[in-house]
Amino acid sequence: EVWLHNTWCQSSDQAKTGLLATLIVRHPDNGKFYVNFDPKIFELIREAKCLERMGFSIPESARIALMQEDKLKTFHRKLEWALKEYDRIKSQVL
């Protein structure tokens, strides 16, 4: 159990690199815009919640992501909505 916790702590630092990615990308084949949000970030938050409830310590980077969970989910949802609206409006104009 301790070994798994230590391994998770080390891998949690790698998951936060997903926050450095470009958030909106254009698909090379169809030209459509997509939200490029790494799902590992939400996975990290879920796992951090569980481990914290079980009494394990979590690394500072995971704690920061956990504290910003609502903000990250809101940003993701709003970006998805904005791109859907963009596609909708673009289809009406063209």
Side-chain angles (χ1 to χ4, degrees), residues 46-77:
R46 278 192 308 274
E47 291 172 349
K49 274 185 188 178
C50 291
L51 288 171
E52 195 170 52
R53 286 182 191 141
M54 293 168 44
F56 286 97
S57 63
I58 58 173
E60 188 63 24
S61 59
R63 187 174 314 285
I64 290 169
L66 187 56
M67 291 184 332
Q68 295 184 12
E69 176 184 14
D70 291 337
K71 185 180 359 177
L72 291 170
K73 286 181 177 179
T74 299
F75 286 162
H76 182 261
R77 189 175 54 252

Side-chain angles (χ1 to χ4, degrees), residues 1-7 56:
E1 206 172 76
V2 173
W3 176 80
L4 288 173
H5 175 258
N6 290 338
T7 303
F56 286 97

Side-chain angles (χ1 to χ4, degrees), residues 4-19 38 40-49 51 57-66:
L4 288 173
H5 175 258
N6 290 338
T7 303
W8 180 84
C9 287
Q10 292 171 352
S11 67
S12 69
D13 284 335
Q14 295 171 351
K16 72 177 183 179
T17 60
L19 292 171
D38 190 350
K40 290 182 181 181
I41 295 167
F42 291 134
E43 182 180 317
L44 169 73
I45 291 170
R46 278 192 308 274
E47 291 172 349
K49 274 185 188 178
L51 288 171
S57 63
I58 58 173
E60 188 63 24
S61 59
R63 187 174 314 285
I64 290 169
L66 187 56

Side-chain angles (χ1 to χ4, degrees), residues 14-30:
Q14 295 171 351
K16 72 177 183 179
T17 60
L19 292 171
L20 302 175
T22 303
L23 287 177
I24 298 175
V25 295
R26 185 185 297 260
H27 193 280
D29 295 333
N30 63 16

